[in-house]
Amino acid sequence: MKAFINCLVILLLSFTLTSCEAIGSIFKTGVWTGVILVVAVIAIIIWALSKAFGGGRS
């Protein structure tokens, strides 16, 4: 029954979404994931450099 519901949802989405809308939403999600990852990596690098060079010591 679950497989039938999954197939029904996929079929419904294929009729309601055009291919351009589907691809557009996938790329928007990918862009935001990339932005969040880049910001996180930069924050980790800044944190590591501040710890390495004695930042935050009194």
Side-chain angles (χ1 to χ4, degrees):
M1 185 69 180
K2 187 175 180 180
F4 175 72
I5 293 173
N6 287 341
C7 289
L8 188 63
V9 168
I10 291 171
L11 186 66
L12 179 66
L13 286 175
S14 68
F15 284 127
T16 57
L17 290 176
T18 64
S19 60
C20 291
E21 290 176 2
I23 297 298
S25 63
I26 290 170
F27 280 127
K28 284 181 187 175
T29 303
V31 166
W32 281 111
T33 304
V35 168
I36 291 170
L37 287 174
V38 167
V39 169
V41 167
I42 290 173
I44 290 170
I45 290 172
I46 291 172
W47 175 80
L49 288 175
S50 69
K51 290 291 184 181
F53 293 112
R57 287 189 208 167
S58 297

